């Protein structure tokens, strides 16, 4: 399939060249060119990320932080350089506010566990939107079991936008935290997190932003948003699996207890008493995924060199085009029509079960996702059990969206 060079408003976004950085995109499935539209689940990796990681394993590898020997120091330098890289990328005030985790899910569990230990009492309230991923719901339900906190749900309108009036009305003197996704992994809605943070702070509450679906797609600056926490996963931003980030304001992280105990996170241990390391190491028990952290740093360099603004413009245009083209298919029901929408389209077609649709599209070489997308409360909000979802990345082309549209039309005609 030819992928014509795409001209964005500000720059030439040379799609052919970009795609050549991702060897997997040359693959065929069922003897057809792969059309990979499952980027919200995970993104493909540019060669530079995998090369940097194998180079580290082949020529630097040693455990970080503990050794005085040459390799250990070099590995530690790479690890800490990656932390600095992440801090700059999201505009954190200091790299000690960057905690490496396994991914968004672990970052969210860390906050739920440690923040609640430090700051939540029985009857305190946490607000969540109805569009949260299960990983920003279930950890809070576990806290509810343990501590008797109250979870309140922020409603959305039919376009999939947060109802800001209802949001404000949910606050009481017991509201301690708002935990909200920046971008819905199903609807693509970009939530007004800066505005939501201002409202939360005006009520004396804190705000956690789940950036799993925003950090890969447009510039995110934690100081501009003024969020108290931000979470994201390396594998969704062209980095490796097994590495993720928790950003937290230093004054908060300082007052939160460790999440796990073990090596690396202590200052001194006796059987009577243990003191903990300074930030961020207090939250990083055990050997970290230092090679993964380095890979993530290289991935952030890669997207930054393309320009997050350029990526954003490219994907916004693709999303607009996809919505326009899909809406022409008879029986198409599109979920998520927010004015601010990014890189994800979710839909059903007539009464074709999304699983059947996904299976048949797969035979045509098109990889998309079907099911509840780890957002069952959102499925219930729209009165469905499942949806099909196509999600885009910086290497997605118009030709791939055309392929999706004509494949759906072909499948539709079989029913
Ligand atoms: N939050 C959102 C909005 C997501 O889309 C995802 C993954 O799809 C997660 C959290 C969980 O991310 P991970 O599985 O990388 O921990």
């Amino acid at each position: 399939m030819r992928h014509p060079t795409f001209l964005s408003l500000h720059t030439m976004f040379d799609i052919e060249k970009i795609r050549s950085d991702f060897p997997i995109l040359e693959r065929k499935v069922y003897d057809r060119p792969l059309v990979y539209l499952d980027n919200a689940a995970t993104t493909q990796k540019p060669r530079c990320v995998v090369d940097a990681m194998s180079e580290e394993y082949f020529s630097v590898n040693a455990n970080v932080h503990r050794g005085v020997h040459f390799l250990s120091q070099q590995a530690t330098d790479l690890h800490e350089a990656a932390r600095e890289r992440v801090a700059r990328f999201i505009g954190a005030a200091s790299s000690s506010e960057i905690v490496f985790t396994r991914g968004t899910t672990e970052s969210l569990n860390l906050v739920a566990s440690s923040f609640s230990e430090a700051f939540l009492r029985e009857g305190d309230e946490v607000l969540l939107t109805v569009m949260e991923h299960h990983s920003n719901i279930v950890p809070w339900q576990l806290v509810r079991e343990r501590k008797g906190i109250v979870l309140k749900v922020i409603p959305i309108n039919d376009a999939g936008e947060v109802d800001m009036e209802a949001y404000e009305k949910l606050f009481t003197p017991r509201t301690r935290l708002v935990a909200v996704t920046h971008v819905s992994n199903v609807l693509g809605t970009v939530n007004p997190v800066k505005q939501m943070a201002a409202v939360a702070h005006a009520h004396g509450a804190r705000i956690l932003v789940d950036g799993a679906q925003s950090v890969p797609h447009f510039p995110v600056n934690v100081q501009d948003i003024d969020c108290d926490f931000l979470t994201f996963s390396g594998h969704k931003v062209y980095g490796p699996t097994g590495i993720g980030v928790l950003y937290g304001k230093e004054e908060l992280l300082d007052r939160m207890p460790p999440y796990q105990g073990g090596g690396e996170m202590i200052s001194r241990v006796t059987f009577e008493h243990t003191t903990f390391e300074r930030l961020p190491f207090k939250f990083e028990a055990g050997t970290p995924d230092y090679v993964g952290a380095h890979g993530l740093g290289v991935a952030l360099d890669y997207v930054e060199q393309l320009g997050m603004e350029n990526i954003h413009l490219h994907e916004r245009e693709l999303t607009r085009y996809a919505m326009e083209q899909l809406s022409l298919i008879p029986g198409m029901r599109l979920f998520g029509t927010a004015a601010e929408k990014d890189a994800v389209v979710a839909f059903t077609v007539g009464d074709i079960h999304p699983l059947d649709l996904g299976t048949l599209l797969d035979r045509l070489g098109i990889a998309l996702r079907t099911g509840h997308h780890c957002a069952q409360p959102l499925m219930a909000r729209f009165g469905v059990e499942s949806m099909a979802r196509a999600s885009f990345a910086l290497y997605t082309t118009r030709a791939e969206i055309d392929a999706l549209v004509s494949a759906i039309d072909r499948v539709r005609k079989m029913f």
Side-chain angles (χ1 to χ4, degrees):
M1 189 187 323
R2 283 287 304 159
H3 301 281
T5 296
F6 179 83
L7 291 174
S8 85
L9 288 177
H10 295 313
T11 187
M12 198 157 95
F13 208 67
D14 188 344
I15 276 288
E16 279 302 339
K17 184 167 175 310
I18 288 169
R19 289 180 71 88
S20 70
D21 294 335
F22 294 83
I24 204 170
L25 298 179
E26 284 158 27
R27 260 204 76 157
K28 291 198 163 180
V29 290
Y30 308 112
D31 223 20
R32 291 168 182 275
L34 168 69
V35 176
Y36 184 76
L37 298 177
D38 194 17
N39 295 286
T42 200
T43 51
Q44 301 302 346
K45 317 304 169 201
R47 195 181 293 279
C48 60
V49 167
V50 180
D51 283 353
M53 291 174 70
S54 55
E55 177 64 19
E56 182 169 5
Y57 275 127
F58 285 143
S59 60
V60 180
N61 185 48
N63 207 333
V64 291
H65 295 140
R66 296 171 199 171
V68 291
H69 64 82
F70 185 86
L71 289 186
S72 176
Q73 289 189 16
Q74 215 175 12
T76 303
D77 287 349
L78 285 177
H79 188 55
E80 292 310 312
R83 198 189 304 277
E84 298 277 347
R85 188 75 201 76
V86 171
R88 279 201 311 280
F89 191 74
I90 58 169
S94 145
S95 63
S96 54
E97 298 181 317
I98 305 300
V99 178
F100 283 124
T101 63
R102 281 194 300 121
T104 306
T105 301
E106 190 175 48
S107 301
L108 291 167
N109 276 278
L110 192 164
V111 177
S113 168
S114 294
F115 181 86
S116 66
E117 203 50 42
F119 299 112
L120 300 184
R121 308 282 165 265
E122 189 176 346
D124 282 346
E125 295 162 4
V126 171
L127 310 186
L128 311 169
T129 76
V130 71
M131 67 176 89
E132 296 312 310
H133 188 279
H134 293 163
S135 63
N136 199 23
I137 299 175
V138 183
W140 299 108
Q141 291 175 325
L142 296 176
V143 175
R144 181 171 63 186
E145 296 284 303
R146 264 196 337 264
K147 305 207 73 158
I149 63 164
V150 178
L151 300 182
K152 290 178 156 182
V153 182
I154 308 164
I156 58 174
N157 63 22
D158 290 341
E161 294 160 322
V162 163
D163 179 338
M164 287 299 280
E165 230 173 86
Y167 168 58
E168 285 225 47
K169 284 197 186 128
L170 285 174
F171 283 87
T172 75
R174 298 300 302 271
T175 311
R176 300 280 176 260
L177 182 80
V178 178
V180 57
T181 190
H182 199 168
V183 175
S184 161
N185 66 312
V186 178
L187 307 172
T189 309
V190 182
N191 285 317
V193 288
K194 187 172 173 170
Q195 217 180 320
M196 293 178 82
V199 173
H201 292 151
H203 287 85
R206 303 292 188 162
I207 185 162
L208 174 153
V209 174
D210 172 359
Q213 300 293 349
S214 61
V215 170
H217 299 292
F218 52 82
V220 172
N221 184 302
V222 290
Q223 292 192 77
D224 178 53
I225 296 168
D226 195 20
C227 54
D228 298 288
F229 301 101
L230 178 93
T231 59
F232 70 93
S233 298
H235 71 96
K236 292 187 198 283
V237 61
Y238 312 100
T241 51
I243 188 83
V245 170
L246 167 66
Y247 156 83
K249 282 185 182 162
E250 197 162 334
E251 48 106 5
L252 276 174
L253 292 179
D254 249 341
R255 289 150 69 200
M256 287 161 48
Y259 174 50
Q260 294 178 330
E264 303 269 350
M265 51 77 75
I266 53 87
S267 170
R268 187 173 164 74
V269 179
T270 64
F271 275 109
E272 289 70 39
H273 186 63
T274 291
T275 51
F276 303 121
E277 256 284 22
R278 65 195 154 87
L279 288 178
F281 308 110
K282 178 174 89 174
F283 291 108
E284 294 180 354
T287 299
D289 183 0
Y290 50 89
V291 178
H294 177 50
L296 172 59
V298 174
L300 298 183
D301 281 341
Y302 179 80
V303 290
E304 199 137 79
Q305 163 245 321
L306 290 176
M308 287 309 294
E309 250 334 312
N310 297 330
I311 292 170
H312 182 45
L313 285 169
H314 172 65
E315 293 176 349
R316 272 287 165 104
E317 174 51 24
L318 283 176
T319 308
R320 189 204 59 73
Y321 181 66
M323 290 291 282
E324 177 193 285
Q325 295 299 308
L326 287 169
S327 69
L328 301 175
I329 298 175
M332 174 62 62
R333 180 177 175 200
L334 288 162
F335 299 89
T337 50
E340 290 296 315
K341 180 177 166 79
D342 212 84
V344 185
V345 292
F347 52 89
T348 54
V349 184
D351 47 19
I352 308 173
H353 194 286
L355 189 61
D356 293 335
L357 181 63
T359 308
L360 290 164
L361 289 175
D362 177 54
R363 300 301 298 201
L364 299 172
I366 295 174
L368 47 65
R369 190 149 290 244
T370 60
H372 54 64
H373 311 291
C374 299
Q376 284 178 332
L378 183 66
M379 298 297 118
R381 163 65 180 77
F382 283 100
V384 296
E385 286 284 322
S386 64
M387 301 174 186
R389 177 188 78 182
S391 51
F392 313 132
L394 56 85
Y395 42 66
T396 308
T397 65
R398 267 185 178 234
E400 288 182 308
I401 289 170
D402 291 339
L404 169 70
V405 171
S406 69
I408 294 174
D409 212 38
R410 192 166 152 194
V411 170
R412 180 185 67 84
K413 287 176 181 147
M414 292 176 187
F415 283 80

